[in-house]
Amino acid sequence: MVHVDDFFFCGIEEFHNQVISKIKKKFRISTEASCAFKYLALVVSQIENEIEVNQNDYINTLKLVEIQRDSLNDRILDEDEKSKLRSISGQVAWVASQTRPDVSFDSCRIANRGKNSYIQSFKEANKSIRKMKNGNIFWKKTEIISI
């Protein structure tokens, strides 16, 4: 996988010998890691036959929006607040697209608020951030498939 000037690879020894060794001769590799590494805010780790990808470090940096207790749910957001909501929308969309499909609907809902953004929109965004911070999702491979 390639992103700008970063890439990562995985494969069997034959792939490393025939492909990666040639890449290493052609390009300067500044950092190389195996079994566990960070790539574009994704933490990738391998333990035995399992690979885990998470964004927990990134998710933990997300901040909840402070909402005044006396704010009415149907109060329209001002321009600064709408900008903040767009930022949160992008953050949730990034996580949803990479590691947390369970927040995809939340991401879509937040993004579609647009001009019709209310305090309720902030509450929905906060709920999504809390959901991401309070747990991971896991897929387990049930059988090994040879290619």
Side-chain angles (χ1 to χ4, degrees), residues 110-125:
I110 296 165
N112 285 314
R113 292 297 183 213
K115 293 179 183 178
N116 300 318
S117 303
Y118 301 94
I119 289 294
Q120 181 61 35
S121 305
F122 274 156
K123 290 181 178 180
E124 291 168 357

Side-chain angles (χ1 to χ4, degrees), residues 35 80 99:
C35 295
D80 287 340
T99 60

Side-chain angles (χ1 to χ4, degrees), residues 96-110:
S97 71
Q98 299 300 306
T99 60
R100 295 292 300 271
D102 60 316
V103 295
S104 293
F105 179 76
D106 299 347
S107 172
C108 182
R109 185 177 54 213
I110 296 165

